[in-house]
Amino acid sequence: MLTNSPLIRKLSNLGLIELDKLNLNSQNTKQSICELICQESNLTASDLALRAAQLFQVPHLDLANFDMRLLPDEKVLNEKLIKKHNVLPIAIKGKTLYLASADPTNFDAFEDYEFNTGMQTEVVVVNYEQLNLAIESLFDKTDGLELSDAQMAELEGVESEQETSNKKSLSTDVNSKEDDAPIIVYINKILMDAIKKGASDLHFEPYEHTYRIRFRVDGVLHEIATPPVGLESRISARIKVMSHMDLAEKRKPQDGRIKLKISKKKSIDFRVSTLPTLWGEKIVMRILDSSSAMLGIDVLGYDPKQKDLYMNALAQPQGMILVTGPTGSGKTVSLYTGLNILNKPERNISTAEDPVEINLAGINQVQINPRADMTFANALRAFLRQDPDVVMVGEIRDLETAEIAIKAAQTGHLVLSTLHTNSAPETLTRLMNMGVPSYNIASSVSLIIAQRLARRLCNHCKVPEDVPTEELLKLGFTQDDLPELTLFKAVGCEHCTEGYKGRVGIYEVMPITPSIAQIIMRGGNSLEIAEVATNEGVNNLRRSGLIKAATGMTSIIEINRVTSYQH
């Protein structure tokens, strides 16, 4: 029984987890205690590690900043013991062995180590995700990166069919096995570093005299490396081989995909795009981590009222839910979270996506391919002949797609989709401008979610910020907010990037109420809709961001970056 775990008992006493629910879900899974706790609570792996260290008064270590070369010798690094208990020896001082564990109450493991080594043990609490990655990389011959058979063949110098057929055109890019080996190692290291840093995108950018590699971490690009510009052709060739692209084609943009298995249980997909520029091919890789689609609505950042509105809309048998925002604002995660909630055996769910970013079991996903005449509109038509309950359209780009989606929402189907607009009210006027009749919009759209992603302040180093009352009012706070208002600012430490770690969603969740439907019917503009929505208690993006700043979750500078002033 999980109730035997002191860690679980303490977390239960604090009201952070429900024992009955945890015990029920543990019966049909092989997940570790820490994985189950994070799955059934609002705690992230990092939060759990910090909380466990505080509860049991033991040291905490960020394994992401730990140099694995400092590990003890092989006599202590017993692979069988480490994998059995998921505990890693990290240091020896005198006759004391220091063990990194995600669970400070794993006493069986500590006793086993004391028996096998003859040393006393001390525990250091770590993030279980980082611990799993460290153990896998320690005993994985490919430095934690398990490649497909085709990619392994390339590592060993065996040419693939693609390389053989293009060998002549590759003569200036790829010379020999010996020359390429460092490039292979270098690219693998870049990919692993990106995963460890939690990057969402990688940019490989050639210029006349320089070559730059940047990672987008928490929504902001950071320069990571500047390899010699002469390596541009070899770097692009290596990535194109891994992505199954045409190596000889350098004049046109190409799209590809890499699937890397980083452990026995987890693989990461990369969506790869090339673009010919003046000085070579720019390559952008988007990391598609399927675990982000399984986060659950409670950790996305919706406030209780917004969450209830979204859940109520998902519970309806028909209607249209629209999610809007710029590229990289988290629309895909919001949609996939909703689809996961709806994904039950009794429902037939189909999606049309361009591209399909994350594979979801139990959902029929269709890749849009305009060359084969598989457009959003044609996919939607096909869905409606396949007895659907829920339909997801990746993006409404034109009138034809909008009209079919709206007809589906009016005829007993739940439709989810996205548009590119700046706010929820502007989404309605965008549909009108496309040519969709106002009466169709009013009768089919049930909820609109506008969103942005703001960086979270690091809990280790954030400090209170003194802002004059006059400035606070200019920023958008009201007199009612001021008495108990404490704002924080970013500082920066070893645990974060420039004072921030992770991101949180900022949302404007607007239901289509009778009052808003009337404005739509008479062709009203977005300003009128926004005014009525505010009067009905809908927080716009700016107000939602200010609330996040007031709770210490993020900073005013970050809110100013991702939302506009709305005085």
Side-chain angles (χ1 to χ4, degrees), residues 276-289:
T277 67
L278 194 59
W279 306 108
E281 290 179 283
K282 173 174 178 176
I283 299 175
V284 175
M285 306 173 77
R286 166 68 60 89
I287 298 178
L288 308 173
D289 187 355

Side-chain angles (χ1 to χ4, degrees), residues 268-311:
I268 301 286
D269 285 349
F270 293 79
R271 191 181 80 211
V272 186
S273 170
T274 69
L275 178 69
T277 67
L278 194 59
W279 306 108
E281 290 179 283
K282 173 174 178 176
I283 299 175
V284 175
M285 306 173 77
R286 166 68 60 89
I287 298 178
L288 308 173
D289 187 355
S290 59
S291 63
S292 65
M294 311 297 176
L295 288 174
I297 194 168
D298 291 321
V299 300
L300 296 185
Y302 289 94
D303 68 34
K305 182 181 176 183
Q306 292 172 337
K307 175 189 168 184
D308 288 343
L309 288 170
Y310 191 17
M311 295 296 288

Side-chain angles (χ1 to χ4, degrees), residues 133 137 142-145 187-197 260 262 270:
L133 194 60
S137 64
T142 59
D143 293 329
L145 195 60
I187 296 299
N188 288 349
K189 185 179 185 305
I190 290 290
L191 299 185
M192 285 305 296
D193 284 350
I195 293 168
K196 289 177 181 176
K197 289 179 183 291
L260 294 178
I262 61 171
F270 293 79

Side-chain angles (χ1 to χ4, degrees), residues 366-431:
V366 173
Q367 171 67 54
I368 294 305
N369 184 0
R371 290 182 182 178
D373 203 28
M374 178 57 82
T375 61
F376 281 117
N378 287 339
L380 261 175
R381 287 193 188 95
F383 290 167
L384 295 178
R385 295 191 291 270
Q386 296 244 319
D387 184 32
D389 296 302
V390 180
V391 170
M392 194 270 270
V393 187
E395 184 182 347
I396 294 177
R397 297 176 179 171
D398 51 52
L399 177 59
E400 185 182 18
T401 306
E403 286 180 333
I404 300 170
I406 281 173
K407 285 177 184 175
Q410 290 173 331
T411 55
H413 307 98
L414 182 62
V415 180
L416 289 78
S417 190
T418 71
L419 268 86
H420 284 264
T421 60
N422 292 324
S423 68
E426 288 176 46
T427 304
L428 296 168
T429 54
R430 171 86 174 107
L431 288 171

